[in-house]
Amino acid sequence: MVTLTDLAFPGFFRSRTCEMGSYYGVRSGAELVAMGGERITLEGYPELSGICTHPAHRGKGLAAALIWQLVRNHRRDGLVSWLHVSAENHHAIELYLRLGFTPARKVKLHRIRRND
C-alpha cells in the first residue's frame, strides 16, 4: 500500500495508516494497482483516504469504483464522507466533482518532519 501511494502521489500514507479504517484495493495479478479507504473519523464524518491508482492503470474507473464502495458504506451507516485533495491535483478534483463532492473550504497544509 505504501509502495502504491509513494508511486501514485506524494502522500501522507505510512505502513500503519491502513489500521485507521477500512481499505479496499484492486489487484492486477499480484500487484496492487488501485486503493482507497478511511483514515480520520470526526464524529459522523469519516475521511476518504489513500485514494490512488497506479499510473499504468488510470482512466479505467478504478478510483471511482472504490470511492463509491466507501461512500455507499458510509451512507448505509448514516455517515457523511469527506476528503481532501491538493489544489494541483486537477484530475482528482474533476473526479470528485463528478461524483458529487463539493468544495467546503481551502486550507494550506505544511509537511513537517524530524531530521534524525
Side-chain angles (χ1 to χ4, degrees):
M1 294 171 84
V2 173
T3 300
L4 177 59
T5 59
D6 285 347
L7 175 66
F9 67 88
F12 295 93
F13 199 93
R14 299 293 177 255
S15 61
R16 295 189 62 203
T17 302
C18 61
E19 296 174 18
M20 299 175 81
S22 297
Y23 279 83
Y24 295 92
V26 177
R27 292 187 178 276
S28 177
E31 182 182 22
L32 181 65
V33 297
M35 64 176 240
E38 306 161 321
R39 186 171 56 180
I40 299 168
T41 298
L42 307 172
E43 193 171 320
Y45 296 85
E47 172 199 19
L48 300 184
S49 171
I51 299 165
C52 59
T53 304
H54 188 289
H57 294 271
R58 291 185 180 149
K60 301 175 182 177
L62 301 176
L66 291 165
I67 291 167
W68 275 120
Q69 177 64 49
L70 291 157
V71 169
R72 277 192 302 270
N73 292 352
H74 293 165
R75 287 181 179 167
R76 176 197 66 214
D77 297 337
L79 305 171
V80 177
S81 307
W82 66 279
L83 51 80
H84 66 271
V85 61
S86 169
E88 291 81 34
N89 194 343
H90 302 288
H91 291 292
I93 292 169
E94 290 171 14
L95 172 63
Y96 302 149
L97 292 173
R98 279 196 315 270
L99 293 176
F101 286 89
T102 57
R105 66 186 46 86
K106 292 183 180 185
V107 297
K108 188 165 192 149
L109 300 175
H110 299 275
R111 177 180 268 187
I112 300 171
R113 347 180 201 191
R114 219 172 45 198
N115 291 326
D116 55 334

